[in-house]
Amino acid sequence: MIAERPKQFLFIALFLASALPFVGSATALVVGALFAMVLGNPFAIQSQKISKWMLKLAVIGLGFAVDFSQVIEVGRSSIVLTIVSITAIIGLGEILSQLFKLNKNTGVLISFGTAICGGSAIAAMAPVIKAKDHEVAISLAVVFLLNALGLVLFPMIGHYFGLTEHQFGVWAALAIHDTSSVVGASAAYGASALAIATTIKLTRAMWIIPYTSIAGVFWKSDEKASIPLFIFGFLAAALINSSFPEYQTLWHALNVGAKQVLIMTLFLIGSGLSISVLKQAGIKPFIMAMILWIIVSSIILLLIVDGFIS
């Protein structure tokens, strides 16, 4: 076993190396996870805090490659699809939770995280349904594992089915849980896929508030969820990019920098995976979440390939 100080230096070196342009999203995530599982993350608490802020900065920076009118159009055209899909996923999740006899709160959190945007949705819903700490931890662990799988598998599946960048961007945004993995997978697929996926995912995240408000009525809760503020940063960046095209060189540089920040973030997110996290998740919640995810992603992929979702 490596001593603590060399382990810390090695961790920092790998973190900084993930900023190199030839390092991909999946590579950074896998290296971070392997480091944590084999050697243990020497900066576990710091990694968790820093990764959240880095992800927000990365998403805001990615907005400099998006046309603001595209954001408005995507939001307007996807309202019906968003409401139907979120409601259907939550409903299916409830059915599977009962079949697997999961704790009610755990089932709700996993379903909500699958339907909207992973960890952010779980964190927003948890106080509304008065979820206990271990219920939140289990839900986050399960979603984290599926996010890691999605980041690696989705680009391969997309290429296998010959999805266009537009099709893949839509599929990734609707079928992968967390914003970080959506952005990572779509960035590996192409620039157009990245722009589409990020726009759809962040538009979808805005539905956290109405759905948590509905949950608050059923749970008789006074807790209020707040929409992630970095979404407004993304929208502002897209507006700036569209309003001042003469500074396109600067916006491009900020966008490229944001992509590298994202890859560094994925290394930190991967380093949050450990044997204890795997044990904490347990097998039943993971199987339930996996079945829900496979059904949802398969149906959405089929609808995209057949042209029902465009």
Side-chain angles (χ1 to χ4, degrees):
M1 183 65 69
I2 299 179
E4 192 64 23
R5 185 58 64 87
K7 187 199 301 184
Q8 292 175 347
F9 281 125
L10 180 58
F11 183 91
I12 293 172
L14 289 173
F15 169 65
L16 295 176
S18 62
L20 296 173
F22 57 81
V23 177
S25 304
T27 300
L29 184 80
V30 171
V31 170
L34 289 175
F35 189 101
M37 295 182 70
V38 176
L39 300 177
N41 185 344
F43 303 106
I45 297 176
Q46 296 92 328
S47 295
Q48 186 177 22
K49 292 180 179 179
I50 293 172
S51 65
K52 291 180 179 179
W53 284 104
M54 287 181 67
L55 176 60
K56 294 173 182 177
L57 288 174
V59 170
I60 291 172
L62 292 173
F64 285 106
V66 177
D67 191 307
F68 188 74
S69 61
Q70 181 186 29
V71 177
I72 301 301
E73 176 58 26
V74 168
R76 183 192 63 78
S77 62
S78 63
I79 290 178
V80 174
L81 173 62
T82 299
I83 294 175
V84 171
S85 60
I86 291 176
T87 304
I89 293 170
I90 292 174
L92 178 58
E94 176 63 22
I95 294 172
L96 290 174
S97 296
Q98 293 184 14
L99 288 175
F100 280 88
K101 296 181 171 58
L102 285 191
N103 169 285
K104 184 173 180 58
N105 283 348
T106 302
V108 169
L109 293 176
I110 291 175
S111 300
F112 196 63
T114 303
I116 300 186
C117 59
S120 298
I122 289 173
M125 180 63 85
V128 176
I129 65 173
K130 299 179 175 64
K132 297 179 176 62
D133 288 344
H134 74 275
E135 295 167 340
V136 177
I138 289 171
S139 304
L140 288 173
V142 168
V143 166
F144 175 89
L145 291 172
L146 296 182
N147 270 314
L149 287 174
L151 180 62
V152 175
L153 294 178
F154 266 56
M156 292 191 292
I157 296 173
H159 287 300
Y160 178 80
F161 283 98
L163 297 183
T164 65
E165 288 195 29
H166 179 89
Q167 289 175 319
F168 183 84
V170 174
W171 184 45
L174 297 180
I176 300 179
H177 305 74
D178 243 16
T179 302
S180 58
S181 290
V182 169
V183 174
S186 57
Y189 209 80
S192 179
L194 174 62
I196 292 165
T198 305
T199 301
I200 294 176
K201 193 63 178 179
L202 295 185
T203 302
R204 196 175 183 84
M206 294 181 184
W207 288 85
I208 287 177
I209 292 180
Y211 276 89
T212 50
S213 300
I214 293 171
V217 173
F218 286 99
W219 265 266
K220 297 181 174 58
S221 173
D222 294 328
E223 293 286 344
K224 304 296 182 185
S226 57
I227 196 164
L229 293 180
F230 68 87
I231 293 177
F232 294 106
F234 173 83
L235 294 174
L239 181 59
I240 291 171
N241 173 57
S242 302
S243 301
F244 302 100
E246 63 270 24
Y247 299 108
Q248 198 57 233
T249 302
L250 175 59
W251 309 149
H252 176 72
L254 290 173
N255 178 254
V256 170
K259 291 179 182 177
Q260 294 308 126
V261 170
L262 172 68
I263 292 174
M264 297 175 75
T265 304
L266 290 170
F267 172 82
L268 294 180
I269 291 175
S271 70
L273 182 63
S274 64
I275 301 298
S276 61
V277 169
L278 295 175
K279 290 180 178 178
Q280 186 180 47
I283 191 66
K284 283 174 60 176
F286 182 76
I287 293 176
M288 173 267 178
M290 176 66 83
I291 292 174
L292 176 62
W293 188 44
I294 290 174
I295 292 173
V296 169
S297 57
S298 299
I299 291 175
I300 292 173
L301 177 59
L302 180 63
L303 293 174
I304 289 174
V305 171
D306 287 345
F308 290 101
I309 296 178
S310 59

